[in-house]
Amino acid sequence: MTGTMLDLGPQTLIVARLAEEVTDEQLSAATPCPDLAVRNLLGHLTGLSAAFRDAGRKQLGATTDTSPDAATPDIGPDWRTELPKALAELADSWRDPAAWTGVTRAGGVDLPGSVAGAVAAGELVIHGWDLARATGRPYAPDPAALEASYAFLLTATEHPPRDGGLFGPVVPVPQDAPLLDRALGLSGRDPGWKA
């Protein structure tokens, strides 16, 4: 996806709608992310939205320098307003063509703007599925974000093996499976995961 701009707005809206439907009773439910409950996943989505918002703006600092593994994320008392706001700001920041050029930082890692945008798409698509699956909601990601996510994850498999966490070891998925299932497998998810 190098050099290609992508409107992250449709996917951020999908994630925001899923989050809006989460009940207080579901906050402690398990997710496909090892050791993360729904509340932690929502906290991660809030943090990554702020980080990629700032990465798109090239406003490097605390949000872009913090590794996602630094601490177990959690929600604050105002998460129902903070998350949709951060998602909307993320989408807005990546509508600027300058976001896709030069070098930026996310998760404490310097990377080209076009790669950071693809990573953001991947985070939104995969964690959107995580949230939908954990809360029993239907899920159809934005097709353009899914394509970008799959392309990024396919490239990422060429790097050294991953040892678990939010994006774990690749799960084999048939090549004729739907694109979402193939992206999930590349991200370390079992497309058949159930709570």
Side-chain angles (χ1 to χ4, degrees):
M1 204 199 108
T2 304
T4 304
M5 281 187 56
L6 170 68
D7 183 2
L8 297 175
Q11 184 62 30
T12 60
L13 285 174
I14 290 167
V15 173
R17 286 186 193 120
L18 287 167
E20 183 180 353
E21 295 175 354
V22 173
T23 66
D24 289 344
E25 294 74 28
Q26 291 174 319
L27 292 175
S28 60
T31 72
C33 303
D35 303 320
L36 294 188
V38 168
R39 68 180 304 113
N40 307 118
L41 178 57
L42 291 165
H44 177 62
L45 281 163
T46 303
L48 79 84
S49 296
F52 281 100
R53 171 201 66 207
D54 294 345
R57 294 174 178 169
K58 304 216 174 36
Q59 294 177 343
L60 309 184
T63 59
T64 61
D65 291 346
T66 304
S67 166
D69 300 326
T72 301
D74 202 354
I75 53 172
D78 297 325
W79 74 270
R80 290 191 184 275
T81 54
E82 289 172 358
L83 178 55
K85 180 177 185 249
L87 285 163
E89 290 172 346
L90 181 159
D92 188 56
S93 72
W94 288 92
R95 288 187 179 110
D96 182 348
W100 298 88
T101 64
V103 175
T104 192
R105 184 178 309 132
V109 177
D110 290 336
L111 56 165
S114 60
V115 173
V119 173
E123 291 274 355
L124 292 167
V125 167
I126 300 302
H127 291 315
W129 179 84
D130 291 334
L131 185 58
R133 189 53 60 108
T135 58
R137 301 287 189 274
Y139 183 62
D142 172 62
L146 175 58
E147 288 278 348
S149 176
Y150 178 76
F152 167 73
L153 290 164
L154 190 60
T155 301
T157 61
E158 298 168 1
H159 294 282
R162 296 166 298 181
D163 60 358
L166 297 174
F167 290 99
V170 172
V171 173
V173 174
Q175 282 302 309
D176 61 350
L179 186 60
L180 177 58
D181 288 0
R182 287 183 281 146
L184 291 167
L186 290 174
S187 76
R189 275 35 173 203
D190 174 358
W193 185 92
K194 292 184 192 309

